[in-house]
Amino acid sequence: METLIGLLVAAPLLGAGVLLTGGRRFDRTGHLLGTLFALLSFVFGMVLFVNMLGKNADDRALHSHLFTWVPVEGFQAQVGFQLDQLSMTFVLLITGVGTLIHIYSIGYMEHDERRRRFFGYLNLFLAAMLLLVLADNYLLLYAGWEGVGLASYLLIGFWQHKPSAATAAKKAFLVNRVGDMGLSIGIMLMFTTFGSFAFSNVLPRAAQAAGTQHATITGIGFMLLLAACGKSAQVPLQSWLGDAMEGPTPVSALIHAATMVTAGVYLIVRSGAIFNAAPDAQTAVVTVGAVTLLFGAIVGCAKDDIKKALAGSTMSQIGYMIMAAGLGPIGYVFAIMHLVTHGFFKAGLFLGAGSVMHGMNDEVDMRRYGGLRKFMPITFVTFGLGYLAIIGFPGLSGFFSKDKIIEAAYAKGGTEGWILGSAALLGAAITAFYMTRVMLMTFFGEKRWVPDAEGHEPHPHESPKSMTVPMIILAFGSVFAGGLFSINSSFVKWLEPVTGHSEGNSPVSTGTVTAATMVCLVIGVGIAWLMYGRRSVPAVAPRGSLVTRAARRDLLQDDFNHVVLVRGGEHLTRSLVYLDHSLVDGVVNGSAASVGGLSGRLRRLQNGYVRSYAVSMLGGTAVVVAATLLMRAV
Amino acid sequence: MNPANYLYLAALLFTIGAAGVLIRRNAIVVFMCVELMLNACNLAFVTFSRLHGNLDGQVIAFFTMVVAAAEVVVGLAIIVSIYRTRHSASVDDANLMKL
């Protein structure tokens, strides 16, 4: 069984190797090969899952040590895998959704001449992401962390002939680097404090050392949070996610909705022992989560680009997960549960958006959609189920997972609990609003279609089977996953041995929370219907209020970055360049010039006249004689 | 006769020779002045030999003569060849080593 864990990672890695180095001979079969390797990985994952189910709850973790990466005295970097319930959940999500999106991409990328390369990158991403969740130490996790960053960069910039895509890829890479610095510093701190990278070593000792090395552990916690912020697009490192929508839509669905952006949540839940020992870091985590869940939701309300609206929504939903992860043992399980259900419905929503774009000549502006439900019935139904799941319609996935998070937030207790719970409730209302807005603008109302730049009238049509089947499967997940996880608290029991779990004492009863959530939902949907359902949608965006205009500009995040970081950086580099030119170059050039001037003067002595040499010889001799005589006399 | 007078003569000859080397431009004359300086030294050596009553100074004087004879051969050959190529015996004209 242990060998299978290695094969799980090796299959997509092999796929990436074959597709990226194999050249044109795989142009015809590349997409099938890529899908096959992803499917293979999923099958291995299922085998391991069934095997794991057959064991005792406390005895389910599998370890597989491959080799020693850096065998140096005092610095042992191991390559080893650890498959426990938490990793297993991710493996199934990554390979399952990954395989579906591979299948979807066969249809979506059919007319792209670089399709083979696309599948190679997708496989590379799967391999890196699996490495990330299967690593049994932080250093190997870091390798996977960088790997997914690379794959994300390559895929966002896949249509690199578009300058906007190339820029977006660079932006994502740069912002992610800030977070990666946090992770690497955190790992270094761990090594100097505990002398090891392994989860099995660091985590128990962090729990023990809570009293004695409080400051260090808090520092590690903050560094890990910075890393999570970068990868999961949380405030203040959120600015890259909206632009990342320049990538092909399957990429947005797989990487920027379902899997990679949730790596930050994984990191925090995996490092739970560290955060439990550092309450200050936990407070920072919940703050980041709560701020982002509102931030993303507000941005999502103002965007007319369907993918960017969904990106704002992703940010907001991950904010929920981060917040839950910051609540400690009362929230870890629910963070992961929301992560999985979100993986289903958000991937489904993105695939639906891709299907709509596919039928509408790649138009992304929702003001130019309208009335599509009759033309794309399957897309409409699957997208609609995803929509109901994300707003938390009773009985669907989002209802169970989001409710639990809101409840856990209240259970945090004290003023903090009330603030967090209310933020989460408000977020639920805004979620209902913007998702209803997306739904109404896209599928309802009158047609506002316009011909594309080349004058082709859009002829919306249902997408091919390779695209609709994954959407249907994901819609099933969106509907049933949450309920399945909640029956008999099965998900809590499944994850509890790894993450730990405690029931909080909520000051508000479960029934009240559910009722409050329902009220928020109805208010959100109602306002959206009044604004976009009852009235017709103007084809050109109205000027809007100050908040709307700010939200259209991503709540001025880019402007902030530009003014503070870019300008500040420019001023810093300019003054450094000035210093370099005036001081450093001044010293170097000055010394060179003075040596040159001095030697120019010395050169004059060499005038070529024998007489003058003779004079100097005579003078020298006279000096030597005089000195000798003087010494004698003394 | 007082041996110091020989030393005065030697000093006088050496000074004349040195002044000639420094002032004159004709290579032949400069060369002759160098010889004059050598011979002034020889005179001083011989005088000191006499003063101290041993032969060391005389031996060195003979050495100097031998070396000077060899030097004259080489030096005159150089001067002649310079004159042939440049049609001038002025030492100031031979300044190719200058930067």
Side-chain angles (χ1 to χ4, degrees), chain A residues 225-580:
Chain A
L225 172 64
L226 181 65
C229 282
K231 196 60 85 194
S232 296
Q234 300 294 294
V235 175
L237 297 178
Q238 80 290 26
S239 64
W240 64 273
L241 189 63
D243 292 300
M245 297 300 126
E246 287 292 340
T249 309
V251 173
S252 311
L254 178 61
I255 301 184
H256 305 119
T259 54
M260 185 193 85
V261 287
T262 57
V265 183
Y266 171 77
L267 184 69
I268 292 179
V269 173
R270 177 59 84 192
S271 315
I274 293 175
F275 284 96
N276 292 345
D280 294 339
Q282 265 186 334
T283 310
V285 174
V286 284
T287 313
V288 164
V291 169
T292 311
L293 84 85
L294 292 175
F295 188 104
I298 293 169
V299 170
C301 292
K303 291 286 182 184
D304 288 332
D305 180 328
I306 185 169
K307 284 180 71 182
K308 291 202 169 160
L310 290 177
S313 155
T314 303
M315 220 184 268
S316 160
Q317 298 301 316
I318 296 171
Y320 272 106
M321 299 170 208
I322 294 275
M323 189 182 84
L327 293 173
I330 50 175
Y332 291 141
V333 173
F334 301 128
I336 300 298
M337 183 161 142
H338 193 54
L339 192 155
V340 175
T341 56
H342 175 256
F344 283 119
F345 56 68
K346 187 51 69 63
L349 286 171
F350 264 111
L351 294 190
S355 174
V356 170
M357 286 160 60
H358 199 66
M360 293 290 287
N361 297 341
D362 286 330
E363 179 62 65
V364 290
D365 190 347
M366 292 189 290
R367 293 189 185 277
R368 297 177 179 176
Y369 291 166
L372 288 173
R373 69 179 185 283
K374 289 187 209 112
F375 300 90
M376 310 174 103
I378 301 177
T379 306
F380 169 63
V381 171
T382 54
F383 195 95
L385 289 173
Y387 155 74
L388 290 177
I390 193 174
I391 64 171
F393 192 79
L396 275 72
S397 287
F399 169 75
F400 293 103
S401 52
K402 201 186 286 178
D403 242 29
K404 287 288 183 194
I405 291 179
I406 298 173
E407 216 181 305
Y410 278 116
K412 176 84 179 168
T415 328
E416 203 185 341
W418 281 103
I419 296 174
L420 294 176
S422 314
L425 265 184
L426 182 61
I430 307 179
T431 306
F433 171 79
Y434 68 72
M435 282 314 298
T436 311
R437 174 174 176 270
V438 169
M439 198 68 195
L440 290 174
M441 283 173 89
T442 305
F443 292 105
F444 292 89
E446 73 276 30
K447 301 174 191 171
R448 299 180 298 276
W449 310 344
V450 289
D452 66 5
E454 285 145 28
H456 300 298
E457 283 289 338
H459 296 289
H461 51 84
E462 195 49 88
S463 300
K465 279 232 166 51
S466 63
M467 288 167 71
T468 50
V469 170
M471 283 153 58
I472 294 168
I473 297 174
L474 285 172
F476 269 101
S478 318
V479 174
F480 298 113
L484 210 62
F485 293 159
S486 296
I487 296 172
N488 209 4
S489 313
S490 56
F491 200 75
V492 175
K493 283 181 190 149
W494 162 252
L495 272 186
E496 199 181 351
V498 183
T499 60
H501 181 67
S502 66
E503 290 292 340
N505 295 321
S506 178
V508 196
S509 73
T510 311
T512 322
V513 170
T514 310
T517 316
M518 282 309 110
V519 171
C520 288
L521 194 160
V522 171
I523 292 173
V525 173
I527 295 175
W529 185 78
L530 286 178
M531 287 175 70
Y532 299 98
R534 212 177 52 165
R535 279 186 272 164
S536 63
V537 181
V540 179
R543 191 147 177 277
S545 67
L546 204 62
V547 182
T548 315
R549 271 177 284 156
R552 272 187 202 136
R553 295 177 64 106
D554 299 318
L555 288 179
L556 307 179
Q557 56 188 4
D558 284 334
D559 305 74
F560 175 81
N561 286 351
H562 187 77
V563 170
V564 176
L565 300 174
V566 177
R567 289 264 180 79
E570 272 175 2
H571 283 302
L572 184 70
T573 47
R574 249 185 235 140
S575 46
L576 281 178
V577 165
Y578 174 75
L579 213 65
D580 183 48

